[in-house]
Amino acid sequence: MSEKKIPYKIYLEESEMPKQWYNMRADMKNKPAPLLNPKTLQPMTQEELSSVFCEELCRQELDENTAYFDIPEEIRDFYKMYRPSPLVRAYCLEEKLQTPAKIYYKFEGNNTSGSHKLNSAIAQAYYAKKQGLKGVTTETGAGQWGTALSMACAYFGLDCQVYMVKCSYEQKPFRREVMRTYGANVTPSPSNTTVVGRKILQEFPGTNGSLGCAISEAVEAAGAQTGYRYVLGSVLNQVLLHQTVIGLETKAAMDKYDIKPDVIIGCAGGGSNLGGLIAPFMGKQLRGEENYEFIAVEPATCPSLTRGKYVYDYCDTGKVCPLSKMYTLGSGYMPAGTHAGGLRYHGMNPILSQLYDDGYMKAVSVHQTEVFKAAQEFARVEGILPAPESSHAIKIAIDEAMKCKETGEEKTILFGLTGTGYFDMFAYARYNDGEMVDYNPTDEEIAKGLSGIPQIPQNGF
Ligand SMILES: *Cc1c(COP(=O)(O)O)cnc(C)c1O
């Protein structure tokens, strides 16, 4: 470690910002399994995939050999409005914990959408625009992705249609208004604007909706309009690729001060922020140049890595998307109503799934009350009001720092602080009122979800 005093915030100059995204697959010996066409069970071709997603994004999705993709200048210009994001040395948290550990976090909540999702939203909107499309459709659960996409579409003059899970639409009216301010059309899902929505409404009148249902509506809406494609905010390899800007900036900032993290921690929903944060470090590990400890943190209520299976599964409840080999709880798995809305997806990104299966990464699950306790502790000393999702990483970072206190080890801990929690104040209120409870899914509930995994030959790819 150099003697240079490390500042509270390490910024990069504009000229030092990454000009390329990094594709971890290029350095993986065991590549993630290909996406399969749900009808033929054969690997999806570029052509088949292009009917759902934008062309360039399909290329990125399927490419497992190109290590670096240039970030187009238009996207870099947009990044400059809110990036580089700060890498913060958590001096105040270290002091509070009285730990010899050195703690750093990369803060992605410094933009209006309040999370890292804008990094991929702007890329996806750019490629849609470049392809000459009129607009895009998507779903949003907690609302962060819909907000990010609305901002990106406004910037490039694209129409943006968001299907927002009904209970979220009603509980988070401010998220909805942010999206509308950016010009997006927000529809509570299930709605009577689609065939699948009308069918669900007829079967389950008064339903609160679900992410799986909103995905099915968004995919249908894209297919029903010329010049529209469907876009997704996590899980896919293309999204993880865009999010590598997080890790690349972090590594560049750390290199300036000769800092090498020992432990790298991120919360895991669909896996894009975690994959993006660890990418350049994992690349070094895959090439045999360095060693790190990687930890994925997931909610106990949606434990795809720690209790799921590594198999081909549907990406959506409507079973319209390609099949993906991933750690999954089954597409019909219904997580209990916890407050980390952005971590409630049933599956995990295929690259991270393969890395986890190969033993490159650990995973732990945590309960929401301990997560909010960590969030509160963090907010009181570091100032930032963290998103519940991000607070999963905070919880484990604090645990690691406390272990160092016992052993006297001066480990360097890095974690991803993916966003702010201003729209999650109902959740904070429940915690503050002592009304928040923990829930551990029973083995039966997990088995029920897993029983929905398609009965197809699972080997051979
Ligand atoms: C969506 C979201 C997550 C989950 O991100 P993934 O990349 O899907 O794992 C985490 N934190 C915040 C603040 C989010 O909005």
Side-chain angles (χ1 to χ4, degrees):
M1 172 68 74
S2 84
E3 289 305 308
K4 277 183 236 173
K5 165 85 174 151
I6 293 162
Y8 271 73
K9 282 187 188 162
I10 308 178
Y11 277 106
L12 295 175
E13 301 293 333
E14 240 174 56
S15 60
E16 297 170 310
M17 286 172 63
K19 296 188 177 58
Q20 295 177 310
W21 294 301
Y22 167 60
N23 181 11
M24 274 189 279
R25 285 170 290 180
D27 286 309
M28 289 169 70
K29 281 195 198 78
N30 295 335
K31 310 282 185 196
L35 294 172
L36 298 187
N37 182 319
K39 294 206 185 82
T40 64
L41 301 185
Q42 292 304 305
M44 288 293 279
T45 60
Q46 163 83 25
E47 203 184 338
E48 289 169 328
L49 214 51
S50 305
S51 64
V52 189
F53 301 115
C54 304
E55 269 161 41
E56 184 56 33
L57 293 168
C58 295
R59 257 190 290 284
Q60 295 177 355
E61 192 62 35
L62 298 176
D63 190 329
E64 51 185 35
N65 298 308
T66 307
Y68 290 94
F69 284 83
D70 287 339
I71 307 176
E73 199 178 339
E74 291 88 337
I75 299 175
R76 278 194 282 138
D77 284 345
F78 187 88
Y79 279 170
K80 284 174 194 163
M81 289 198 277
Y82 71 101
R83 310 197 68 83
S85 71
L87 175 68
V88 185
R89 171 75 183 267
Y91 280 119
C92 303
L93 182 61
E94 290 170 18
E95 172 77 24
K96 167 84 189 302
L97 300 175
Q98 289 289 300
T99 172
K102 300 175 180 70
I103 309 173
Y104 293 86
Y105 57 90
K106 180 71 166 166
F107 180 45
E108 291 292 323
N110 249 352
N111 67 76
T112 298
S113 78
S115 83
H116 64 282
K117 293 204 172 64
L118 194 53
N119 301 332
S120 182
I122 194 62
Q124 297 195 43
Y126 167 79
Y127 291 118
K129 184 72 183 176
K130 207 172 146 221
Q131 194 178 324
L133 298 180
K134 274 191 236 148
V136 292
T137 70
T138 199
E139 78 292 333
T140 197
Q144 287 95 310
W145 168 244
T147 314
L149 190 68
S150 312
M151 290 175 70
C153 286
Y155 185 72
F156 285 121
L158 280 170
D159 185 33
C160 180
Q161 302 175 358
V162 182
Y163 287 86
M164 186 170 187
V165 178
K166 193 190 265 166
C167 60
S168 222
Y169 182 90
E170 282 156 8
Q171 280 169 13
K172 293 187 166 185
F174 293 151
R175 274 254 171 240
R176 182 177 82 211
E177 289 320 314
V178 180
M179 287 186 253
R180 296 208 311 159
T181 303
Y182 283 95
N185 194 310
V186 189
T187 308
S189 166
S191 74
N192 56 20
T193 66
T194 63
V195 176
V196 58
R198 284 192 291 273
K199 193 167 152 238
I200 291 169
L201 281 176
Q202 217 167 33
E203 266 175 57
F204 310 98
T207 173
N208 280 328
S210 73
L211 205 52
C213 168
I215 295 178
S216 303
E217 286 205 272
V219 172
E220 182 187 322
Q225 303 168 89
T226 22
Y228 281 75
R229 289 290 185 282
Y230 166 67
V231 296
L232 199 61
S234 185
V235 190
L236 297 173
N237 296 332
Q238 63 198 9
V239 184
L240 193 156
L241 179 74
H242 307 146
Q243 295 297 355
T244 62
V245 70
I246 304 172
L248 292 161
E249 276 184 14
T250 303
K251 178 134 193 333
M254 288 193 143
D255 285 349
K256 275 182 136 177
Y257 289 88
D258 300 323
I259 304 160
K260 181 189 170 279
D262 298 299
V263 189
I264 307 177
I265 302 163
C267 63
S272 74
N273 88 80
L274 172 66
L277 174 69
I278 68 175
F281 302 100
M282 184 61 86
K284 281 197 151 289
Q285 181 136 337
L286 289 167
R287 295 188 299 271
E289 298 164 9
E290 295 276 6
N291 272 306
Y292 309 90
E293 191 182 345
F294 300 101
I295 309 177
V297 191
E298 52 186 19
T301 49
C302 199
S304 44
L305 289 170
T306 50
R307 294 177 75 185
K309 271 193 182 168
Y310 188 34
V311 288
Y312 270 106
D313 193 15
Y314 300 107
C315 293
D316 59 318
T317 323
K319 304 178 182 176
V320 287
C321 296
L323 290 167
S324 178
K325 187 174 178 190
M326 57 185 176
Y327 272 87
T328 179
L329 294 162
S331 61
Y333 179 73
M334 281 291 170
T338 56
H339 293 293
L343 303 181
R344 300 187 56 189
Y345 187 67
H346 66 277
M348 187 55 56
N349 166 271
I351 298 174
L352 287 189
S353 291
Q354 184 66 45
L355 289 170
Y356 177 64
D357 205 57
D358 286 340
Y360 283 101
M361 190 174 81
K362 284 204 258 183
V364 293
S365 74
V366 291
H367 284 290
Q368 59 178 354
T369 53
E370 55 183 356
V371 165
F372 274 82
K373 182 166 179 282
Q376 191 182 67
E377 191 165 14
F378 179 85
R380 288 180 186 180
V381 291
E382 288 289 322
I384 295 169
L385 181 81
E389 292 89 349
S390 323
S391 305
H392 286 65
I394 298 177
K395 158 69 185 153
I396 294 302
I398 291 179
D399 283 359
E400 288 293 316
M402 293 312 281
K403 276 190 220 161
C404 290
K405 187 172 174 176
E406 275 169 32
T407 61
E409 278 179 290
E410 293 182 23
K411 280 191 187 171
T412 298
I413 299 168
L414 164 67
F415 71 90
L417 189 69
T418 49
T420 48
Y422 298 116
F423 291 111
D424 296 283
M425 295 327 288
F426 282 119
Y428 272 96
R430 295 212 61 175
Y431 177 74
N432 293 332
D433 290 339
E435 284 169 6
M436 185 177 280
V437 288
D438 291 332
Y439 184 73
N440 224 0
T442 62
D443 288 342
E444 289 70 33
E445 282 170 287
I446 298 287
K448 184 164 172 242
L450 294 175
S451 70
I453 288 168
Q455 303 295 313
I456 60 160
Q458 289 283 357
N459 296 316
F461 287 101

